[in-house]
């Protein structure tokens, strides 16, 4: 299959190099934190905006609870190849004004 859903070999190589840079101790710690995570109660008046890619194979979107905006074609490193889109969406979200 396509490693973690990446179709571009350069992006797959980047993802692999990022993960291979982590120690086993860190990866075990991170997985444990995911398993222990409990949702937090946000203070009154605080809004959370979560943008999540629909092609993220590392943290699949079906396991993500709202509120969020699903980014079509977004993967785990979409911040690299969808930076312009994400910047625009963040600006629109914060200002309430669409470009």
């Amino acid at each position: 299959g396509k490693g973690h859903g990446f179709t571009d070999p350069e992006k797959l190589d980047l993802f692999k190099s990022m993960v291979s840079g982590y120690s086993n101790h860190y990866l075990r710690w991170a997985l444990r934190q995911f398993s222990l995570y409990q949702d937090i109660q946000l203070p009154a008046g605080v809004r959370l905006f979560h943008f999540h890619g629909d092609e993220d194979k590392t943290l699949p979107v079906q396991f993500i609870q709202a509120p969020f905006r699903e980014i079509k074609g977004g993967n785990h490193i979409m911040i690299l190849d969808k930076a312009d889109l994400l910047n625009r969406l963040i600006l629109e979200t914060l200002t309430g004004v669409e470009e």
Side-chain angles (χ1 to χ4, degrees), residues 39-87:
D39 204 5
I40 61 169
Q41 191 70 10
L42 294 174
V46 173
R47 295 176 62 198
L48 174 69
F49 300 100
H50 178 157
F51 299 92
H52 203 93
D54 67 349
E55 293 182 14
D56 188 332
K57 304 294 185 212
T58 306
L59 298 172
V61 71
Q62 63 263 31
F63 298 115
I64 305 299
Q65 292 182 345
F68 73 97
R69 179 153 179 191
E70 195 170 310
I71 306 300
K72 184 162 181 56
N75 58 33
H76 199 64
I77 58 171
M78 69 180 178
I79 191 169
L80 296 177
D81 59 349
K82 297 199 175 294
D84 290 342
L85 171 64
L86 291 169
N87 283 332

